Amino acid sequence: YLDPQCASGRDTVTHLFEWKWTDIKAECEIFLGPYGYCAVQVSPPNEHAVVANPNRPWYERYQPVSYNIITRSGNEQQFRDMVTACNKAGVRIYVDAVINHMTGSYTGHGTGGSSFDGNACRFPGVPYGPNDCNGHDNCHTRDISIHNYGNSDEVRNCRLLGLADLRLGSDYARGKIADYMNKLIGFGVAGFRVDAAKHMWPGDLENIFGRLQNLRSDVFGSGKKPFIYQEVIDMGGEPITMKEYFGTGRVTNFKYGVELANIFLRHSNQAKWLSNIGEGWSMPPTNNVVVFLSNHDNQRGHGGGDSNGIHAGSSVWLSKGHEQLRLDTNGDDHNNWQGPPHNGDMSIKNVTINSDMSCINGWICEHRWRQTYNMVAFRNVVGGTPLQNWHAFGDYQIAFSRGNKGFIAIVGDGSHLNANAQTGLPSGTYCDVISGNYENGACTGNKIHVDGNGDTHLKIDGNSDDPVIAIHIGAKV
Ligand code: ARE
Ligand code: CA
């Protein structure tokens, strides 16, 4: 479950939050494929509750009603077309799998018309009935909801946010979930982000994932397992840890983004200590985790690990296409519930692309920003090489190479950097892919000269918009 199943030479996942399947299909073909992205994390594709108050919030997608593929993003045929087209473009699809729970404790209808009663655990669209949810027999809080994250049994057996908690110890529920995931594997998806994994017993997940079929051999080759990354918010201080989930896939490392944010927002450590971030900072081994700076929750004041202040930040590992990223003056999200850009009938708006490559019609596409997509390419070029030629010219002035393939310099505190540095790169003239693009052998940004000894002169004004220089052997002028 650890292999992301990227097409060769690709490495980065972008999250296209609440996009329609037809738009993701087009984005794979015209942008993500050509620009070297490995995969897209898509919003939950299965039928979920229609929440009316507030009106159609983004989070209704985290309240399953059935495993039929029908949401505002599209129907099953559109989903299948997207997966086929993206695989053809060399881009994988990872599905956000909500399998810990169903809806909140109320009655209503789902996006495909199925009825539900969350409190009684009645979901005829699956079907699940009262015996398929945990209850007073194994959850010992008065309202069978989670109150104490210090109690592992409670976190696993009680209701997260009042959401009907599935009895994953039962053969029936395990089978229904495995059927859903296998249906998606049959369509050609490459893997799953497992929502709320902390709230499921590792043994139950092991059983469910053990029922999964191999990926489609016509796309991935024979004998390939789905990629699994599990959402486990572990900032320390709770009994449930990331490590418990290493046996069933990778885990989301929330500490990584928080540490980086604390540094560049100058809340704690200085950048000069970054040379061994990762295991050296008591984080789990690289191959057990997925790293990112922000996710759909902490951009909206939900979830955990969000005290870092990066709500509107993006990362080259996980960026989003969603309109609701703006901050008010207090640093809070304007809309912690607002759903995607929509038409008068509440259908999701198309993503429209501007001539400058940015998205319009209410959408923001961080994955289309030059600094983002050029660093996706940087990552593809330097993949597999070690960190070398580490320089700390000041507390927040750092530079390093990735082997002899790429070199980056960063100023994080508004100071001026003016220094010579060993880059580890072959001599030549390189295109700084932060200030411009490398196009047809020419550079639209600043050119950086590396001499016969591998040295260069770095000049960065820390107050500029992008106080960063990045060069690599794939962009030599
Ligand atoms: C909504 C309403 C609730 C209501 C509920 C049921 O907001 O008031 O009770 O519906 O009617 C998302 C939203 C929720 C939303 C839910 C369902 O964020 O607000 O509830 O969808 O519509 C914990 C979990 C972690 C989880 C976060 C949010 O451990 O798994 O809470 N993250 C995932 C997704 C979310 C999603 C869900 C799970 C549910 O990424 O988008 O919720 O499917 C500490 C702990 C963390 C804990 C964190 C916050 O940091 O260590 O474990 O995270 O606090 O409580
Ligand atoms: Ca549970």
Side-chain angles (χ1 to χ4, degrees), residues 100-101 134 146 154-160 165-166 168 196 199-201:
N100 169 66
H101 54 260
N134 291 320
I146 299 168
E154 183 173 326
V155 172
R156 264 81 176 246
N157 297 342
C158 300
R159 295 181 167 192
L160 165 64
D165 201 59
L166 288 170
L168 301 182
H199 304 275
M200 298 181 273
W201 293 97

Side-chain angles (χ1 to χ4, degrees), residues 335-368:
N335 297 299
N336 62 18
W337 62 267
Q338 185 69 249
H342 53 78
N343 303 303
D345 63 358
M346 296 311 282
S347 61
I348 297 179
K349 279 191 177 173
N350 294 337
V351 176
T352 316
I353 311 295
N354 215 354
S355 56
D356 68 359
M357 290 186 40
S358 66
C359 295
I360 45 179
N361 213 18
W363 297 89
I364 291 174
C365 295
E366 294 162 292
H367 67 284
R368 279 176 166 268

